[in-house]
Amino acid sequence: MTDICGAPNVITDPLELRTYECDGLTSHRATPALVVLPSTAEEVAGVVALCAEHGVPFVARGSGTGLSGGAVPHSEGVLIVMSRMRRVLEVDPVARRAVVEPGVTNLSVTEAVRSYGLFYAPDPSSQVVCSVGGNVAENSGGAHCLKHGFTVNHVLGLEIVTPSGELTWLGDGTGVVSGYDLLGAFTGSEGTLGIATKIIVKLTPAPEAVHLVLAAYDSLEAGGRAVSDIIGAGIVPAAIEMMDALSIEAAEAAVHCGYPEGAAAVLLVELDGPAAEVEAELATVHSLCEKAGAREIRAADDPVERAGIWAGRKSAFAAVGRLSPAYIVQDGVVPR
Ligand SMILES: Cc1cc2nc3c(=O)[nH]c(=O)nc-3n(C[C@H](O)[C@H](O)[C@H](O)COP(=O)(O)OP(=O)(O)OC[C@H]3O[C@@H](n4cnc5c(N)ncnc54)[C@H](O)[C@@H]3O)c2cc1C
């Protein structure tokens, strides 16, 4: 392995190896036999080929924020950490595409293309640290996937290392698939089909207008009614999220987000798109929130103000840590 990645990028020290013993699912741990930190696709291919030749198990790791244990190492295997491969290799603002390495953090992609009036739409709450490679493996989404879709809707091509150590491409970078959709199959396969070493992502034009509405309710049911009414009116908000009293209280204590005191539910509705469309939808959303019994409605179009309101929701995961040192996160689906 040292021949492939260089001695400083191969970790064997037992204490250092323990750094990698789990991901965000901290109840499951295993110390890997070896950790390697490759810096090129060819190095990843070399490591995987060597593992395949000797029948050694391997696991890829991005930033280790996964909540399903996908990056938990094999105690007799090699953990291949992608965090040194973190460059944005190419930005094509006309074709609205970028080629990135898998270890690049989600938010860095948007930062690299913002000056072109573009952004990378999938926005998991962990986007400051999680890697695009991890996003591909988990098919991650975030608050804005309601309108903009999940990672699978924003990946146009992948260079991968197959389990036998060959480098190959899935997808041709256009997003148009004829025949078997191997790109779609790989996205969300949790690292079981190979290791992504380059990712062609779709870039989205930044919307002309963005407006965030916060509505506070005395019951969860009333907030839920507003959600159904908004969707029923044919509006697809960029994001629509609701928090209950306990999560509001936890977020308030953690980041002082200034949500209305004593609310049983806070609903956040973000609208984006052409200014005229957002303005029209805003009036409808406002009246539907009111009709459902909102006791307070705030609206913000200023980016700083919006970020302040979102801070409560985006910190909710970490904020719950203040209530209990150990908890299990579950994503449920509740019919509208
Ligand atoms: C505070 C917090 C908030 C979160 N919010 C969200 C959210 O809103 N939405 C959401 O979807 N998730 C969320 N997550 C979960 C997590 O951040 C995502 O699943 C993220 O995509 C994982 O990325 P990672 O780089 O940390 O991957 P890791 O945890 O390192 O790995 C995840 C999986 O990807 C595989 N993998 C990593 N890199 C590659 C690669 N290059 N090629 C192939 N396989 C690879 C690993 O083997 C593993 O199976 C959150 C997590 C935390 C801690």
Side-chain angles (χ1 to χ4, degrees):
M1 293 292 173
T2 51
D3 286 349
I4 300 170
C5 298
N9 303 311
V10 177
I11 297 173
T12 53
D13 176 73
L15 267 182
E16 283 184 54
L17 288 174
R18 288 200 58 193
T19 310
Y20 298 95
E21 68 184 5
C22 69
D23 59 6
L25 185 71
T26 53
S27 54
H28 291 61
R29 294 168 191 260
T31 306
L34 197 71
V35 169
V36 296
L37 295 108
S39 62
T40 64
E42 288 70 25
E43 287 182 13
V44 178
V47 169
V48 172
L50 200 57
C51 288
E53 191 186 324
H54 295 280
V56 174
F58 63 89
V59 174
R61 178 184 167 109
S63 302
T65 67
L67 300 171
S68 51
V72 174
H74 192 290
S75 59
E76 289 168 9
V78 177
L79 187 71
I80 305 175
V81 180
M82 309 303 287
S83 54
R84 289 179 66 228
M85 295 175 62
R86 53 191 316 130
R87 289 175 303 162
V88 174
L89 298 171
E90 205 183 303
V91 177
D92 182 342
V94 177
R96 294 184 190 154
R97 293 188 321 196
V99 184
V100 305
E101 289 185 322
V104 72
T105 61
N106 174 296
L107 196 58
S108 308
V109 180
T110 288
E111 280 163 0
V113 303
R114 206 191 300 276
S115 61
Y116 300 104
L118 299 168
F119 74 112
Y120 179 55
D123 63 338
S125 299
S126 52
Q127 67 183 152
V128 180
V129 282
C130 68
S131 72
V132 177
N135 295 170
V136 168
E138 299 286 347
N139 188 21
S140 284
H144 293 83
C145 64
L146 175 65
K147 179 171 180 178
H148 294 289
F150 288 79
T151 299
V152 71
N153 305 114
H154 299 269
V155 172
L156 304 175
L158 288 173
E159 181 193 63
I160 65 156
V161 172
T162 66
S164 56
E166 285 159 58
L167 265 173
T168 186
W169 277 91
L170 304 179
D172 62 0
T174 62
V176 179
V177 178
S178 53
Y180 293 117
D181 183 8
L182 298 180
L183 185 59
F186 191 95
T187 308
S189 63
E190 303 199 356
T192 58
L193 297 182
I195 302 183
T197 46
K198 282 190 192 76
I199 301 158
I200 306 179
V201 294
K202 180 163 94 183
L203 302 172
T204 304
E208 190 186 356
V210 183
H211 227 106
L212 179 61
V213 175
L214 176 155
Y217 291 92
D218 289 328
S219 73
L220 278 171
E221 288 75 10
R225 241 186 342 263
V227 174
S228 293
D229 291 347
I230 291 166
I231 302 292
I235 295 173
V236 182
I240 187 161
E241 299 266 323
M242 189 159 70
M243 290 169 74
D244 68 0
L246 189 62
S247 41
I248 297 166
E249 200 185 309
E252 194 59 57
V255 293
H256 313 295
C257 44
Y259 288 172
E261 249 175 65
V266 155
L267 186 65
L268 302 180
V269 188
E270 190 163 281
L271 303 164
D272 73 6
E277 181 184 300
V278 170
E279 203 181 317
E281 289 182 344
L282 185 63
T284 310
V285 165
H286 198 283
S287 81
L288 291 174
C289 286
E290 221 165 40
K291 197 182 115 215
R295 64 155 146 118
E296 186 178 335
I297 299 180
R298 297 178 195 164
D301 58 358
D302 172 73
V304 177
E305 219 181 318
R306 278 192 281 116
I309 295 176
W310 270 119
R313 167 63 188 89
K314 296 240 171 187
S315 73
F317 182 97
V320 175
R322 298 170 71 94
L323 306 177
S324 165
Y327 59 101
I328 295 174
V329 181
Q330 298 281 289
D331 285 337
V333 174
V334 184
R336 279 198 302 277

